[in-house]
Amino acid sequence: MVDESGLRAEAEQRLRALAGEHARLRDDQWSAIRALVVDRRRALVVQRTGWGKSAVYFIATALLRARGAGPTVIVSPLLALMRNQISAADRAGVHAATINSANVDEWDLIHAEVERGEVDVLLVSPERLNNPDFRDLVLPKLAASAGLVVVDEAHCISDWGHDFRPDYRRLRTLLADLPPGVPVLATTATANARVTRDVAEQLAGLTDDRPATAPHEDSPRENSPNGEAANGRAVGGGAGNGGAGSSGPSDEKADEGGDAADTPDADADDAHGAGDTEGTLVLRGPLERDSLHLSVVRLATAEQRLAWLAETLRELPGSGIIYTLTVAATQEIAAYLRDQGHEVAAYSGQTDPAERLAAEQALLGNRLKALVATSALGMGFDKPDLGFVMHVGAPASPVAYYQQVGRAGRGVERAEVILLPGPEDRDIWAYFASLAFPPEPVVRATLATLAEHGTMSTAALETRVDLSRNRLETMLKVLDVDGAAKRVKGGWQATGRPWAYDAERYARVAAERAAEQQAMLGYISTGECREEFLRRHLDDDTAKPCGRCDNCTGAHRSVDIAAAAVTSARERLHRPGVEVEPRRQWPTGLKELGLSGRIRPELAAEPGRALGRLTDIGWGNALRRLLGERAADGPVPDEIFDAVVMVLSSWRWAARPVSVVTVPSTTRPVLITTLGERLAAIGRLSYLGSLTYRQGPPGRQHNSAQRVRALRATLAPPVADVSGGPVLLVDDRVDTGWTMTMGAMLLREAGAPAVLPLALATTN
């Protein structure tokens, strides 16, 4: 018979060590701890940010370890989150270690410590679960010896969640292999009723045979595991092609940050709802955040939003986060705010890891007013006194938005939450939706290629499957989870197991994503309580008018901005010119074309220039209108041409070009030809015409190897002599960079001493 009163007293003592002398357990915290330690069952905790979900698993770990249980395995999605959790675990009196991509040199030591019983908590990333060595050698031992398994940010398990990731679905294998009686805890702050039910069913083992759904592309985003829109092709978008679209920019955008502190009146707002879903205990609480003061400020232009942001930042309390949808926007906005005297830094998944950590520490130490960040700053960032969260651009769903604003006001009485939506937001959402799960013929062709060739690396497979590298890798992860493919040493293999393409389900998820986008537009335009609106979309049936937001109080923020501030912002945003780095390395798999390894210097392009990025909040809007799929072809507009001339005038090239060559275009021949001709005339250069296609344009290819192969077969130099001096090679946009690379190689082979790429827009 367990002495529950003594056990709770021990749990309370552990909490005070973790969160301070005045902390005490909430009712639902104790219910979860009791379920894990006494009943050894599976539980799902859905509670708001700052409620103390991490306290549950650290205290449960301490109690279980004291009673002879094995180590706790926490599946955690982000390095920043792991850093906070290790610190919190130490305060709770348990020794934590992590295995992730940043500490490869320590893995053997950590594995040995785990086997000797010296590690109480082992944090692993979901991606690590399918590393062949870890999956085959380490994971079985962990599953056999684990005393508790924790799934943090459990909404990532569900395709209905705002941040589904296929790697999380591998947890089904881990949970299925656990010995009887090993408790499991899943936690999240961002699950509506549909996601809650889905996760609870998966914990109970009810959905192991269900086909996995289409992924949210792992990088809106940054085309990297960081999950956010990069300086990528976040423009125009287009409908998905048979799969579920992404709900928005955020692979690193979930919630619980290891915050365990609970106040003396913690039970007052617990109002919890407990239930069972086929054996999983579900503890779901209200999501009210009574420190948050929500408002929306609608301004017509990007320069107005930027000027308003700079002025308002001087008035906001403490330090905070300014979220953007793209990497390009973090850089633009941070640069402008620094020009205005604000201490800010840009932060994204493309930021160097050491710089990211330094930026986090600077904000935690209040040495910065704000981090201008993508959703890469989200999960795991624990700053209780964060005074504000602002968004320049709206996330694609109310669920994702409420998760991000939940970073603020966890340890202060009042925090400002301000959304500055822009017309470009829908273009970025459409881009994410276009990165849906590939159509069935592409998936079948991939499996057939694997079946024919055996083990293949992603790079080798890329030469035979027309998908971008990131989209291909994400598809392979889904096929792995479904059992149709398997990751092994050296790459991927087909398993030969039957596999069904669940188009109907993909379509339902895509429709859900579209509905979320409409709901976000509804949040922007609503005249009702903003917090109630968001909580209702999280299926929080306790939601009621907050009495604090701009609609409840009628205190809407002024949109008046000094004309000089708007002018300054316009000048900053419309400062033309982006450097375009040339390609340095050929894709793999092209040796038969004589293209392998590094691109020889005598065939390479020089560093190039573009007027702007398609994701810029300055030139981006004009360039998207000019280059959008529905834009009509026509002569280059004077405004655009004048800006390109400014780019050329500031270009510090080693040798001035003597001629202009254009890239052939099937969609905008007039635009490109007039741009080339006018540049030649104003610069007193020779216009030598266009590169040509031997047998028609190569069409659209989605990955590097396919693109280079197609261009090599079709692209030809102009007839004119190009040997007289450096050539300015002009195109409308640089996407993968391979057209410019191949064009430069052809011109260099034809005698050009140097090639200077120039484009109106770049997506990188």
Side-chain angles (χ1 to χ4, degrees):
M1 185 73 178
V2 177
D3 177 10
E4 290 195 21
S5 62
L7 187 68
R8 178 156 188 169
E10 187 178 347
E12 296 278 5
Q13 182 181 4
R14 295 280 184 179
L15 177 66
R16 288 192 293 274
L18 179 63
E21 284 301 315
H22 298 292
R24 61 191 174 97
L25 286 173
R26 305 173 187 273
D27 285 345
D28 273 4
Q29 284 178 313
W30 169 244
S31 296
I33 292 169
R34 184 189 180 283
L36 299 171
V37 178
V38 178
D39 299 330
R40 307 293 177 99
R41 64 181 302 188
R42 299 186 176 192
L44 169 61
V45 173
V46 183
Q47 299 284 357
R48 61 176 174 79
T49 305
W51 179 87
K53 296 182 285 296
S54 59
V56 171
Y57 50 75
F58 285 131
I59 293 170
T61 294
L63 298 177
L64 287 166
R65 291 290 277 169
R67 287 153 181 79
T72 292
V73 178
I74 301 178
V75 180
S76 180
L78 188 63
L79 296 183
L81 181 56
M82 291 182 180
R83 289 193 290 267
N84 280 345
Q85 287 173 321
I86 290 173
S87 176
D90 184 65
R91 295 195 302 274
V94 296
H95 174 51
T98 177
I99 295 176
N100 61 63
S101 59
N103 68 343
V104 176
D105 293 341
E106 302 173 19
W107 288 0
D108 290 342
L109 175 63
I110 293 170
H111 291 163
E113 289 179 345
V114 171
E115 291 190 1
R116 293 195 300 268
E118 298 171 3
V119 173
D120 300 311
V121 173
L122 181 66
L123 296 108
V124 300
S125 68
E127 292 77 16
R128 187 63 29 205
L129 297 177
N130 205 41
N131 172 275
D133 285 340
F134 187 85
R135 180 194 63 209
D136 298 335
L137 302 177
V138 180
L139 193 57
K141 296 178 182 177
L142 284 178
S145 63
L148 170 66
V149 174
V150 177
V151 182
D152 214 355
E153 309 308 334
H155 60 274
C156 297
I157 295 175
S158 174
D159 41 38
W160 301 108
H162 72 271
D163 196 17
F164 167 72
R165 282 184 248 177
D167 285 305
Y168 263 76
R169 276 292 173 83
R170 295 192 177 105
L171 290 166
R172 294 182 300 182
T173 302
L174 173 62
L175 299 182
D177 291 342
L178 291 176
V182 176
V184 177
L185 172 67
T187 66
T188 182
T190 52
N192 58 20
R194 184 197 297 267
V195 174
T196 298
R197 183 170 57 253
D198 189 23
V199 173
E201 289 175 352
Q202 291 191 56
L203 290 180
L206 299 181
T207 57
D208 285 0
D209 295 324
R210 189 184 71 183
T213 67
H216 296 188
E217 174 70 18
D218 282 351
S219 151
R221 311 183 221 181
E222 283 188 302
N223 296 324
S224 75
N226 298 304
E228 61 208 46
N231 314 327
R233 197 164 189 161
V235 292
N241 51 5
S246 167
S247 66
S250 128
D251 238 11
E252 292 187 353
K253 60 174 190 187
D255 205 275
E256 172 68 5
D259 43 285
D262 299 300
T263 57
D265 61 345
D267 290 330
D269 67 350
D270 222 8
H272 60 277
D276 279 273
T277 299
E278 298 292 338
T280 298
L281 173 66
V282 179
L283 298 166
R284 181 180 172 90
L287 301 177
E288 182 179 15
R289 296 294 307 278
D290 56 13
S291 63
L292 300 184
H293 292 248
L294 281 70
S295 59
V296 174
V297 178
R298 305 178 76 173
L299 295 160
T301 66
E303 51 263 33
Q304 288 176 334
R305 291 193 292 278
L306 205 55
W308 190 94
L309 173 65
E311 290 188 355
T312 303
L313 198 56
R314 296 185 175 91
E315 306 166 5
L316 293 177
S319 56
I321 301 171
I322 301 168
Y323 278 113
T324 73
L325 299 184
T326 70
V327 175
T330 67
Q331 297 164 349
E332 277 189 300
I333 294 172
Y336 173 74
L337 292 177
R338 285 194 294 268
D339 288 347
Q340 298 300 305
H342 294 292
E343 292 292 330
V344 300
Y347 184 107
S348 74
Q350 292 187 4
T351 306
D352 178 80
E355 292 180 19
R356 289 175 69 175
L357 179 58
E360 292 172 23
Q361 294 302 317
L363 186 60
L364 288 168
N366 294 316
R367 298 188 299 277
L368 289 176
K369 181 66 176 179
L371 284 181
V372 185
T374 62
S375 56
L377 183 69
M379 292 182 296
F381 187 75
D382 183 14
K383 181 174 169 58
D385 62 342
L386 205 68
F388 61 89
V389 168
M390 303 177 73
H391 280 75
V392 182
S397 79
V399 178
Y401 181 65
Y402 200 53
Q403 168 266 313
Q404 289 181 350
V405 303
R407 304 251 64 82
R410 291 151 69 168
V412 295
E413 292 186 1
R414 180 183 179 112
E416 300 298 328
V417 173
I418 305 169
L419 172 61
L420 295 166
E424 65 274 10
D425 298 348
R426 297 194 199 192
D427 290 340
I428 296 172
W429 300 347
Y431 168 69
F432 298 148
S434 75
L435 298 176
F437 196 61
E440 184 170 4
V442 175
V443 185
R444 296 289 181 195
T446 304
L447 291 172
T449 300
L450 287 174
E452 178 183 354
H453 295 279
T455 301
M456 297 182 70
S457 67
T458 307
L461 189 57
E462 186 181 22
T463 66
R464 293 173 171 84
V465 178
D466 191 15
L467 290 174
S468 67
R469 171 69 62 87
N470 292 286
R471 202 169 174 204
L472 174 61
E473 288 179 340
T474 304
M475 180 188 73
L476 289 168
K477 289 179 181 180
V478 173
L479 293 175
D480 190 340
V481 173
D482 285 355
K486 182 179 182 181
R487 187 181 175 192
V488 297
K489 282 189 175 182
W492 299 86
Q493 289 179 348
T495 64
R497 289 177 53 183
W499 178 80
Y501 187 91
D502 197 349
E504 181 180 352
R505 184 175 183 86
Y506 300 163
R508 288 201 306 270
V509 176
E512 181 75 9
R513 300 291 169 254
E516 289 175 348
Q517 294 176 10
Q518 288 301 312
M520 196 64 211
L521 296 175
Y523 171 79
I524 292 168
S525 61
T526 186
E528 306 300 320
C529 173
R530 296 197 188 276
E531 183 174 295
E532 182 180 18
F533 185 99
L534 295 173
R535 291 171 62 192
R536 290 292 181 194
H537 278 274
L538 276 158
D539 295 321
D540 182 356
D541 56 13
T542 69
K544 60 185 184 300
C546 69
R548 302 180 304 275
C549 71
D550 56 355
N551 286 339
C552 284
T553 62
H556 294 276
R557 291 181 173 274
S558 172
V559 295
D560 294 334
I561 321 157
V566 176
T567 299
S568 174
R570 183 182 298 112
E571 291 174 352
R572 186 65 177 79
L573 287 177
H574 288 269
R575 187 179 301 170
V578 174
E579 185 165 339
V580 178
E581 283 294 323
R583 287 282 190 169
R584 303 292 187 189
Q585 191 92 6
W586 294 114
T588 56
L590 300 175
K591 288 185 178 180
E592 80 278 8
L593 299 180
L595 306 176
S596 63
R598 290 186 62 82
I599 299 173
R600 301 203 311 272
E602 64 270 19
L603 297 179
E606 301 298 312
R609 295 291 187 276
L611 171 57
R613 300 182 183 92
L614 284 171
T615 49
D616 287 346
I617 58 176
W619 281 109
N621 288 329
L623 291 170
R624 285 193 298 272
R625 288 193 297 270
L626 182 67
L627 304 178
E629 290 183 2
R630 295 184 177 87
D633 186 26
V636 60
D638 289 343
E639 177 193 22
I640 297 292
F641 179 75
D642 292 343
V644 173
V645 171
M646 291 179 62
V647 173
L648 290 174
S649 67
S650 63
W651 194 340
R652 299 295 180 257
W653 39 51
R656 188 178 189 274
V658 302
S659 61
V660 176
V661 172
T662 51
V663 174
S665 173
T666 57
T667 56
R668 300 179 189 88
V670 177
L671 174 67
I672 298 305
T673 301
T674 57
L675 176 60
E677 291 174 341
R678 290 182 65 180
L679 288 174
I682 200 170
R684 299 180 181 178
L685 312 175
S686 299
Y687 178 60
L688 302 181
S690 174
L691 301 174
T692 59
Y693 290 122
R694 295 189 185 92
Q695 42 191 298
R700 169 100 175 126
Q701 292 79 35
H702 297 86
N703 68 53
S704 294
Q706 300 267 358
R707 184 65 178 165
V708 171
R709 192 185 299 276
L711 289 167
R712 188 59 166 164
T714 59
L715 198 61
V719 176
D721 180 13
V722 297
S723 62
V727 176
L728 191 67
L729 181 60
V730 178
D731 200 358
D732 57 351
R733 63 189 286 170
V734 173
D735 190 353
T736 64
W738 287 117
T739 300
M740 283 293 199
T741 302
M742 296 300 293
M745 184 181 75
L746 288 171
L747 292 170
R748 297 297 301 276
E749 288 176 335
V755 176
L756 304 166
L758 173 68
L760 295 176
T762 177
T763 59
N764 295 309

